Amino acid sequence: MTRFALTIEFDGRPFMGWQRQSHGPSVQQALETAAHAITGEPVAVHAAGRTDAGVHGLAMRAHCDIGKAITPFRLMEALNARLRPHPVAVLACEVVADDWHARFSCLGRSYEYRIVNRRAPLTWEAGLAWQVPQMLDEGAMAAGAAHLLGRHDFTTFRSAHCQADSPVRTLDTLSVTRTGDRIAIRAAARSFLHHQVRSMVGCLAMVGMGRWTPDRVGEALAARDRARLGLNAPPDGLFFTGAIY
Amino acid sequence: MTRFALTIEFDGRPFMGWQRQSHGPSVQQALETAAHAITGEPVAVHAAGRTDAGVHGLAMRAHCDIGKAITPFRLMEALNARLRPHPVAVLACEVVADDWHARFSCLGRSYEYRIVNRRAPLTWEAGLAWQVPQMLDEGAMAAGAAHLLGRHDFTTFRSAHCQADSPVRTLDTLSVTRTGDRIAIRAAARSFLHHQVRSMVGCLAMVGMGRWTPDRVGEALAARDRARLGLNAPPDGLFFTGAIY
């Protein structure tokens, strides 16, 4: 068996999320079905993170073990041919050590959340960004974001379905950048809780709208109470942008 | 009657192009149907340019005359409400003089052509960019583009269906910029011939692939012969980005 690391881009719109589900299509299922068709063996594909329904991947990292003799380039080409018409593409493929694990070896994960801040509805970006009609103050959002940086108990920003043992995480980056009517929020950490990025973005949007002061983000964090969450941002604007090892 | 200027964004994928057609949906028809529903009158919408099937608009300019008393803001909001579920959005609306004409008053038009230069197929950008698997040399493409700047007879870069009286145009900008695996080609001129941008991009791609020297672009231009065209780029990657008045 040879272990291959994959870098995967996917459009989350038609999927129930990364993880295989009994009730609908998943990115994992699309990849495992393609790998099975190529190798004739059942193949398990493990990812750096399990994204929710409607969340996208620009550079998800994953791995799989393949018995058949095949070069990384041929495996990438064959997967891309078999993945059609699913909006999933393998951008890179390499051989890695047998103990390299996309999830457990991962030292850092990053996300980007895209907001289109305008009155008009989205056209080609529908499902690929969060359209917010109220004018957002990105300076206030950045001030609110500063309260979340560092090591904290993120219970307020954690889904009730989160399976992590501890609510403590260390947030290394949470930046807010406006370019015209687009606002990008970039987050990086060793790992995130379930819904953490969308929950943080939702609170920052409350600040941007002027409904919350920046300090209230810190108060919500300190409360360690999910009921204090302002708003959970929709999955549409969330992109998994990378994992480091 | 009051004349309103509109700034319109649209996803060209489901449309036969800007102009109303008997055989399929058009952006013009979507807008005119929405305006009719709001005003109760037949409304004609005139654009700065008529884009082809599958070509997109980031900031198409257009105008229409409306008899009903309505503010620009209310007209924009009502059009956006009535345009659903078409991927067409009115980004801005203003009152203009009765002799202002989106097409005839236009002093300059600009386009951006988006190439994704990679082996892997497109996912969320399918239909929104041209995926070119061969590695493109953007420096050579820029050198080829330099041959097309200025006032020339663009017969080589003109569709057989072009209705313009003259094949002479003055190309003010044709830039080639790479950011990672994305190449953006930006073009600006007072006006363009039918298929001119896609034809120019096709030849630049031939240069980028190493199949043409940069000088051959100049030779193809000088030949004034459509048969000398290297390649017509697909509509997918083409965005109308603005008009100046």
Side-chain angles (χ1 to χ4, degrees):
Chain A
M1 300 289 269
T2 304
R3 181 158 288 189
F4 292 92
L6 307 172
T7 304
I8 298 158
E9 180 185 283
F10 60 90
D11 177 345
R13 287 176 289 188
F15 296 110
M16 302 301 297
W18 169 272
Q19 197 168 25
R20 191 180 269 273
Q21 305 279 349
S22 56
H23 59 293
S26 63
V27 182
Q28 184 181 27
Q29 179 186 36
L31 281 158
E32 290 178 349
T33 302
H36 188 179
I38 294 161
T39 63
E41 321 153 12
V43 176
V45 179
H46 302 273
R50 285 169 293 181
T51 53
D52 282 327
V55 174
H56 318 288
L58 292 185
M60 177 58 80
R61 299 298 298 275
H63 78 263
C64 59
D65 294 327
I66 306 261
K68 176 177 172 158
I70 189 167
T71 66
F73 181 77
R74 285 287 150 217
L75 179 59
M76 178 179 83
E77 296 279 288
L79 284 169
N80 283 332
R82 291 282 185 175
L83 280 163
R84 292 174 194 272
H86 297 294
V88 180
V90 180
L91 304 183
C93 179
E94 58 190 310
V95 173
V96 288
D98 289 349
D99 64 350
W100 188 94
H101 195 288
R103 182 174 171 199
F104 299 120
S105 306
C106 183
L107 300 176
R109 294 162 174 89
S110 56
Y111 286 90
E112 179 175 319
Y113 195 96
R114 298 180 180 177
I115 293 173
V116 177
N117 189 21
R118 70 180 194 193
R119 296 285 309 168
L122 301 179
T123 66
W124 55 278
E125 289 168 299
L128 297 170
W130 181 22
Q131 180 236 344
V132 177
Q134 300 92 332
M135 179 57 64
L136 296 173
D137 177 344
E138 68 276 13
M141 292 169 74
H147 289 282
L148 300 176
L149 285 176
R151 182 178 163 87
H152 302 288
D153 178 332
F154 281 97
T155 295
T156 304
F157 300 90
R158 176 189 197 180
S159 151
H161 302 289
C162 185
Q163 293 169 6
D165 291 334
S166 163
V168 175
R169 289 292 183 273
T170 302
L171 185 62
D172 299 316
T173 302
L174 190 63
S175 68
V176 180
T177 312
R178 177 186 283 274
T179 309
D181 62 6
R182 270 110 229 284
I183 294 176
I185 299 169
R186 296 188 183 86
R190 183 178 179 102
S191 66
F192 290 90
L193 300 168
H194 190 223
H195 280 190
Q196 186 182 342
V197 179
R198 290 167 53 191
S199 299
M200 295 190 302
V201 168
C203 286
L204 296 184
M206 294 288 280
V207 173
M209 293 172 197
R211 293 167 63 186
W212 276 29
T213 62
D215 286 349
R216 189 158 162 193
V217 176
E219 291 159 21
L221 175 70
R224 297 181 218 171
D225 177 1
R226 181 77 179 161
R228 296 289 292 273
L229 184 72
L231 188 65
N232 201 23
D236 311 44
L238 188 57
F239 291 75
F240 184 99
T241 51
I244 53 174
Y245 293 92
Chain B
M1 299 288 268
T2 304
R3 182 159 290 189
F4 292 91
L6 307 172
T7 304
I8 299 158
E9 179 185 282
F10 60 90
D11 177 345
R13 286 176 290 187
F15 296 110
M16 303 302 297
W18 169 271
Q19 196 167 27
R20 191 180 269 275
Q21 304 278 348
S22 56
H23 60 293
S26 62
V27 182
Q28 185 181 27
Q29 180 186 37
L31 281 158
E32 291 178 350
T33 302
H36 187 180
I38 294 160
T39 63
E41 322 153 11
V43 177
V45 179
H46 302 274
R50 286 169 292 183
T51 53
D52 282 328
V55 173
H56 318 287
L58 292 186
M60 176 59 79
R61 298 299 297 276
H63 78 263
C64 59
D65 294 326
I66 306 260
K68 176 177 172 158
I70 188 166
T71 67
F73 181 78
R74 285 287 149 218
L75 179 60
M76 178 180 83
E77 296 278 288
L79 284 169
N80 283 333
R82 291 281 185 175
L83 280 163
R84 294 171 193 271
H86 297 293
V88 180
V90 180
L91 305 184
C93 179
E94 58 191 312
V95 173
V96 289
D98 289 349
D99 63 349
W100 189 92
H101 195 288
R103 181 174 170 199
F104 300 121
S105 306
C106 182
L107 301 176
R109 294 162 173 90
S110 56
Y111 286 92
E112 179 175 319
Y113 196 96
R114 298 179 180 177
I115 294 173
V116 177
N117 189 23
R118 70 181 194 192
R119 295 285 310 169
L122 302 179
T123 66
W124 55 278
E125 289 167 300
L128 296 169
W130 181 22
Q131 179 235 345
V132 177
Q134 300 92 333
M135 179 55 67
L136 296 173
D137 176 346
E138 67 276 13
M141 293 169 73
H147 290 282
L148 300 176
L149 284 176
R151 182 177 162 88
H152 302 287
D153 178 332
F154 281 98
T155 295
T156 304
F157 300 90
R158 176 188 196 181
S159 150
H161 303 289
C162 184
Q163 294 169 4
D165 291 334
S166 163
V168 175
R169 289 293 183 272
T170 301
L171 185 62
D172 299 316
T173 303
L174 190 63
S175 68
V176 180
T177 312
R178 177 187 283 275
T179 309
D181 61 7
R182 271 110 228 284
I183 295 175
I185 298 170
R186 296 189 182 86
R190 185 177 178 102
S191 65
F192 290 92
L193 300 168
H194 190 222
H195 280 191
Q196 186 181 344
V197 179
R198 290 167 54 191
S199 298
M200 295 191 301
V201 169
C203 286
L204 296 185
M206 294 288 280
V207 173
M209 291 173 196
R211 293 168 63 186
W212 277 28
T213 62
D215 286 349
R216 191 158 160 192
V217 176
E219 292 159 20
L221 175 71
R224 297 181 217 170
D225 176 1
R226 181 76 179 162
R228 296 289 291 276
L229 184 71
L231 187 66
N232 201 23
D236 311 44
L238 188 58
F239 291 74
F240 184 99
T241 51
I244 54 174
Y245 293 90

